Amino acid sequence: MVFEPKRVIFEREALNYPLGEELLRYFNQQGIETSFTASHNRVTFVPGRTRTEGYFEAKRTLVVGVRRTMDFATCKPSAHFQLPLATSCPGKCEYCYLLTNLGKKPYVRVYVNIEEILSAAKAYMEKRKPEITVFEGAATSDPVPVEPYTGLLARTVEFFGREDLGRFRFVTKFTDVDTLLGVPHNGHTRFRFSINTGEVIRRYEHATPTLAERLAAADKVAAAGYPLGFLVAPIIAAEGWREDYRALFRAAAAELSGKAPDLTFEFITHRFTKRAKNTILEVFPNTGLDLEEESRTFKFGQFGYGKYVYPKEHFAEIKEYFHSLAQEFFPQAKVEYFI
Ligand code: SF4
């Protein structure tokens, strides 16, 4: 599933970097509409009269920019810091965290000043040494769909491969992984796939690869010797959830059993904020997602706003079940967290 942008917008300054120039040449050769903007933060000419139209047009718009701020946000629970390589992604998942966080037109952005970004990462590592510092490459994007164009992940994986005190991790729902298989990662990058039941993917994760495609890509990544991870999120406890998630684990084990000696799991149950609910209903008015506040428990979050989560007993039941699935199908794997 290759991402084909409908239009590509360049910050003029991006052309001062080899990757910026290369991308302009490439997209012009492909006959894709290109134009310029003063700032990647203020791209005003993505079409779309309604919120839904603007969203869909933005998801087919690629903006090539220069990352200026080198203050990396913290990134709990999966890493110490975010590593900004890209923002947004061409997928259209109904519960995407970025839906509420990237404004009304979540266009896809890539940053061409990769060497400056990696130098900043090095400075963060220096400050924390002799501790190891972990960076997350997918906190504000899915970085894989743009990878065939940019090579940003390959460059980053290679960089961390040489760093004793740095580790890199990212998560994806996409499968354009071939250019990453031969990169000397030295076991310092954890390559994770976000997976879910076939039904959840079909209903809510529009414009993303199927479960079978993701598992096949995970198999290739494991064969390339990367530490592998699965993020199961969001866990949706709809009717038949036990059987459906059991089938998911069975499918993963059939594809990978014994091939991923260093495997991790991360589990995140479905939750939503009031704001996210309103945004989802605006962009996907026919959504089938369970957004009933009455059937949830309200929990104050770390940033001061509250979330609707599964009630305590139900949460405990799901947690126990997922731990038992991991144990049954992948007894060597480590569960990093369940939230
Ligand atoms: Fe959001 Fe990830 Fe889906 Fe992209 S693939 S829309 S980043 S949840």
Side-chain angles (χ1 to χ4, degrees):
M1 181 175 286
V2 176
F3 168 45
E4 284 175 8
K6 199 164 158 188
R7 64 187 72 78
V8 187
I9 303 171
F10 289 81
E11 253 182 358
R12 293 230 174 251
E13 213 186 314
L15 302 183
N16 297 336
Y17 296 81
L19 178 57
E21 267 192 310
E22 203 182 294
L23 289 172
L24 179 62
R25 208 170 30 244
Y26 175 79
F27 286 115
N28 278 337
Q29 272 167 5
Q30 298 297 307
I32 292 172
E33 175 193 322
T34 56
S35 58
F36 291 91
T37 180
S39 162
H40 69 77
N41 288 317
R42 286 188 304 279
V43 175
T44 48
F45 37 94
V46 177
R49 282 167 296 123
T50 63
R51 174 94 198 233
T52 309
E53 269 178 33
Y55 171 82
F56 284 94
E57 286 293 338
K59 288 279 183 171
R60 295 207 55 198
T61 303
L62 176 63
V63 176
V64 177
V66 173
R67 178 79 186 189
R68 290 187 184 76
T69 163
M70 291 293 163
D71 288 339
F72 296 173
T74 55
C75 193
K76 281 182 194 161
S78 86
H80 294 105
F81 298 104
Q82 301 182 4
L83 188 78
L85 302 174
T87 302
S88 191
C89 110
K92 301 177 188 88
C93 306
E94 296 188 11
Y95 33 60
C96 180
Y97 152 84
L98 302 173
L99 201 61
T100 22
N101 289 281
L102 287 184
K104 297 199 167 164
K105 293 188 175 165
Y107 48 84
V108 185
R109 271 180 267 183
V110 294
Y111 306 113
V112 294
N113 52 332
I114 180 69
E115 300 307 326
E116 290 161 18
I117 295 167
L118 295 177
S119 298
K122 179 95 183 166
Y124 275 94
M125 286 184 248
E126 280 295 313
K127 272 191 223 152
R128 284 181 36 88
K129 74 179 185 191
E131 299 291 317
I132 285 183
T133 306
V134 185
F135 295 87
E136 166 67 62
T140 59
S141 70
D142 188 315
V144 168
V146 286
E147 178 64 11
Y149 299 119
T150 65
L152 291 174
L153 281 176
R155 175 71 191 96
T156 305
V157 168
E158 187 195 5
F159 167 82
F160 280 100
R162 287 196 304 269
E163 293 295 327
D164 288 336
L165 296 180
R167 295 291 181 273
F168 182 49
R169 47 198 279 133
F170 61 90
V171 60
T172 185
K173 292 184 172 72
F174 286 81
T175 51
D176 317 280
V177 301
D178 289 359
T179 54
L180 294 165
L181 300 177
V183 180
H185 54 75
N186 201 16
H188 290 182
T189 290
R190 185 169 295 279
F191 204 133
R192 294 129 73 220
F193 286 86
S194 167
I195 55 173
N196 219 313
T197 69
E199 174 70 1
V200 167
I201 291 174
R202 196 185 56 71
R203 286 189 73 179
Y204 307 119
E205 299 187 351
H206 314 294
T208 66
T210 61
L211 173 63
E213 289 166 332
R214 294 183 208 181
L215 293 177
D219 188 30
K220 288 199 247 177
V221 162
Y226 279 94
L228 184 71
F230 285 123
L231 169 68
V232 187
I235 295 167
I236 295 187
E239 212 188 314
W241 65 274
R242 286 173 168 270
E243 294 73 33
D244 290 351
Y245 281 105
R246 191 155 213 290
L248 169 67
F249 273 78
R250 201 185 307 114
E255 183 84 45
L256 277 153
S257 194
K259 297 186 201 163
D262 180 0
L263 178 68
T264 55
F265 280 101
E266 295 154 85
F267 298 128
I268 304 178
T269 53
H270 182 240
R271 67 259 332 277
F272 57 89
T273 61
K274 188 99 184 158
R275 191 167 152 233
K277 173 176 172 170
N278 292 339
T279 310
I280 292 167
L281 292 174
E282 212 180 333
V283 180
F284 299 100
N286 301 320
T287 185
L289 272 176
D290 169 21
L291 299 168
E292 286 294 330
E293 287 145 38
E294 293 71 34
S295 59
R296 303 291 182 117
T297 297
F298 185 74
K299 198 173 155 203
F300 280 102
Q302 54 173 325
F303 303 112
Y305 55 82
K307 296 170 191 186
Y308 293 92
V309 299
Y310 287 119
K312 207 170 161 194
E313 270 120 59
H314 196 21
F315 180 90
E317 182 194 351
I318 303 169
K319 184 173 179 177
E320 196 192 323
Y321 188 62
F322 271 75
H323 275 96
S324 74
L325 287 176
Q327 179 61 33
E328 178 182 346
F329 288 98
F330 295 97
Q332 313 299 339
K334 179 175 173 233
V335 176
E336 291 193 329
Y337 57 86
F338 184 104
I339 56 173

